[in-house]
Amino acid sequence: MRKSAWRSLGVSLLLLALALGGPLVGAAKAAETIKVGILHSLSGTMAISETSLKDVALMTIEEINKGGGLLGKKLEPVVVDPASNWPLFAEKARELIEKHKVAVTFGCWTSVSRKSVLPVFEELNGLLFYPVQYEGEECSLNVFYTGAAPNQQAIPAVDYLMSKDGGEAKRFVLLGTDYVYPRTTNKILRAYLQTKQVAEADIMETYTPFGHADYQTIVANIKKFAVGKRTAVISTINGDSNVPFYKELANQGLKASDIPVIAFSVGEEELRGIDTKPLVGHLAAWNYFMSIKSPENQAFIAKWKAYVKEHNLPGGDKRVTNDPMEATYIGIKMWAQAVLQAGTTEVNAVRQAVANQKVKAPCGYEIVMDAKNHHLHKPVLIGEVKADGQFEIVWQTKGPIRADAWSPFIPDSAKKVADWTYPWVCGNCTAPKYK
């Protein structure tokens, strides 16, 4: 009688849950798809840069779904907007993992947003693909870095500026937004410049807050500093502050032939909203430009333009591709390949499978994920701004180069090891003991 009663009660509860659309139904529905988190600012000062990363992520997910999805399931994107609010990034990351049960997250732009979410991903054993150039000095078991480390962008940029082709600069202005990426990158660049016998008096370092709009005094000071020696500006300004900065350059008649500016956070998308004619000849250092002539890039651009048209995205046929978009695309493709290889979306298995994944990227090279330091091997390119907002490539490496997670130019970092293969010895990181 007891067994019969318990059986009847169980059936009744099951029927009630089905009737109410309760947890059992929700679980069954969730099991039909693989949820993928997209964590980018769609409002606030960083929306100018991050919105396109959300869009290209959705394009890539749609492409995978049209190809049959993964493991017999469709990918379901879960898009959240941290609104350029750094603490909110952490809240949204936790929401994606705990509430939405995403298998992976693609997101963040600024290093302060990445630093905000990092403890969450490490605590909950989530998986983050970070698609933007950054300052290095980090290596996490829970993060795959698909943007450039300093030796894949900042260091080659300085070498170019000091070369004959780059104008043989003797003085350097380190101008950035006031947060971790510009300050740490410039710390590395100062140390590197010292190895090149550049005197402290020939380095000017200035920072402005996010959203800063008045660059009149700063540009005037740059002009004064440049008197007497060939000077170049290394810009780590991020977000929509780039628009007033470049406008002020034009207002004060500062041409690339006088004082070239090389930017690490300005690409085709940021230039799309401003008059680029006065900026012709200024520079940017990236791992990808839309102007790359490769079959893979032509296919990537065609997919993007078709997606923009099909979904009637703002900007229409003026929408462009850029470096962080390519990095997002590569990251999603690598994660998908790893899921198929592992036969599961379980984080520990996928993380292991991501190592050594290869993707023939729009840049034209086969890009590899380093198994030890979780960074991509990437080519380095320097481009000059053209009047149409595109870049003419004026210098590039012969092929992809391996990232340095820890800078060899900072004494403490030079001693650190970035290696997530057994036995885990990633710098000063402690490997969590996941079950």
Side-chain angles (χ1 to χ4, degrees):
M1 290 294 292
R2 287 182 180 175
K3 290 182 179 178
S4 177
W6 279 112
R7 190 179 298 113
S8 298
L9 178 60
V11 171
S12 298
L13 289 173
L14 175 61
L15 292 173
L16 179 61
L18 290 171
L20 295 176
L24 291 173
V25 173
K29 184 177 181 180
E32 295 172 1
T33 62
I34 297 171
K35 290 189 176 182
V36 174
I38 299 176
L39 182 66
H40 281 301
S41 294
L42 309 180
S43 56
T45 188
M46 290 308 302
I48 185 176
S49 297
E50 294 193 63
T51 299
S52 285
L53 302 197
K54 179 265 295 183
D55 291 336
V56 80
L58 294 178
M59 179 197 81
T60 312
I61 289 170
E62 183 178 286
E63 180 184 344
I64 292 171
N65 283 338
K66 286 181 177 178
L70 295 176
L71 307 179
K73 299 178 181 180
K74 297 292 186 181
L75 302 184
E76 178 185 347
V78 182
V79 179
V80 294
D81 178 16
S84 306
N85 180 321
W86 318 133
L88 188 56
F89 265 88
E91 293 179 27
K92 292 296 184 181
R94 188 173 293 276
E95 175 187 318
L96 286 171
I97 299 170
E98 290 188 326
K99 178 181 176 181
H100 296 289
K101 311 295 183 186
V102 298
V104 64
T105 298
F106 299 92
C108 298
W109 180 293
T110 65
S111 286
V112 67
S113 66
R114 189 192 69 257
K115 293 289 188 184
S116 176
V117 306
L118 187 57
V120 177
F121 281 91
E122 292 185 337
E123 173 197 343
L124 302 177
N125 194 24
L127 201 57
L128 173 67
F129 279 74
Y130 177 64
V132 185
Q133 86 290 347
Y134 83 121
E135 70 283 357
E137 307 305 288
E138 181 180 295
C139 190
S140 173
L141 185 66
N142 295 84
V143 181
F144 286 97
Y145 306 82
T146 59
N151 72 304
Q152 297 172 314
Q153 185 186 40
I155 299 297
V158 169
D159 286 340
Y160 178 77
L161 292 172
M162 298 180 78
S163 72
K164 185 176 181 180
D165 289 340
E168 297 180 305
K170 305 297 183 183
R171 278 186 180 156
F172 296 87
V173 177
L174 308 180
L175 175 61
T177 303
D178 193 3
Y179 74 107
V180 61
Y181 164 61
R183 284 194 174 272
T184 307
T185 298
N186 289 334
K187 178 181 179 181
I188 293 169
L189 289 180
R190 268 187 177 272
Y192 183 67
L193 287 169
Q194 288 171 1
T195 69
K196 298 295 183 179
Q197 287 73 54
V198 176
E200 281 292 318
D202 289 326
I203 303 174
M204 170 183 169
E205 193 167 345
T206 302
Y207 297 95
T208 57
F210 277 101
H212 189 72
D214 183 4
Y215 283 90
Q216 184 174 356
T217 301
I218 289 174
V219 172
N221 288 340
I222 290 172
K223 293 174 73 174
K224 292 178 184 177
F225 178 74
V227 174
K229 285 187 179 181
R230 178 66 171 170
T231 301
V233 176
I234 299 173
S235 173
T236 47
I237 295 173
N238 238 311
D240 54 12
S241 290
N242 279 294
V243 176
F245 169 61
Y246 279 99
K247 283 185 177 179
E248 189 58 37
L249 292 178
N251 290 342
Q252 297 197 30
L254 200 60
K255 299 178 181 179
S257 55
D258 303 321
I259 305 175
V261 176
I262 191 162
F264 300 159
S265 297
V266 173
E268 295 85 348
E269 182 65 20
E270 288 75 19
L271 293 181
R272 187 166 64 92
I274 62 177
D275 178 13
T276 57
K277 292 182 179 65
L279 307 183
V280 170
H282 286 300
L283 306 161
W286 290 104
N287 310 116
Y288 164 90
F289 286 112
M290 188 175 180
S291 56
I292 288 174
K293 301 189 186 314
S294 73
E296 293 80 13
N297 191 34
Q298 297 309 307
F300 180 58
I301 294 170
K303 288 177 188 176
W304 172 241
K305 290 192 174 295
Y307 181 84
V308 168
K309 183 176 181 179
E310 179 183 353
H311 294 272
N312 196 28
L313 297 186
D317 58 6
K318 294 183 179 179
R319 292 292 291 269
V320 293
T321 59
N322 64 18
D323 180 287
M325 290 171 68
E326 189 213 28
T328 298
Y329 183 77
I330 292 170
I332 296 176
K333 289 288 190 177
M334 283 190 170
W335 172 79
Q337 290 174 183
V339 168
L340 293 177
Q341 180 179 314
T344 178
T345 58
E346 197 273 324
V347 168
N348 293 335
V350 172
R351 174 170 46 233
Q352 185 175 357
V354 172
N356 296 318
Q357 288 293 337
K358 299 177 181 179
V359 167
K360 193 65 180 295
C363 66
Y365 291 101
E366 186 173 63
I367 301 300
V368 181
M369 177 62 73
D370 196 280
K372 291 185 176 183
N373 66 23
H374 286 191
H375 290 66
L376 293 182
H377 297 205
K378 306 193 81 172
V380 186
L381 305 94
I382 293 175
E384 285 188 356
V385 178
K386 296 168 58 181
D388 61 359
Q390 289 292 314
F391 290 86
E392 179 183 354
I393 298 169
V394 295
W395 180 89
Q396 60 184 336
T397 54
K398 293 181 180 179
I401 60 176
R402 185 177 188 267
D404 290 333
W406 304 102
S407 174
F409 302 106
I410 299 178
D412 288 343
S413 296
K415 302 173 184 177
K416 295 178 180 178
V417 177
D419 187 353
W420 284 117
T421 59
Y422 183 83
W424 295 335
V425 285
C426 186
N428 60 353
C429 304
T430 300
K433 292 179 173 58
Y434 295 126
K435 296 181 180 179

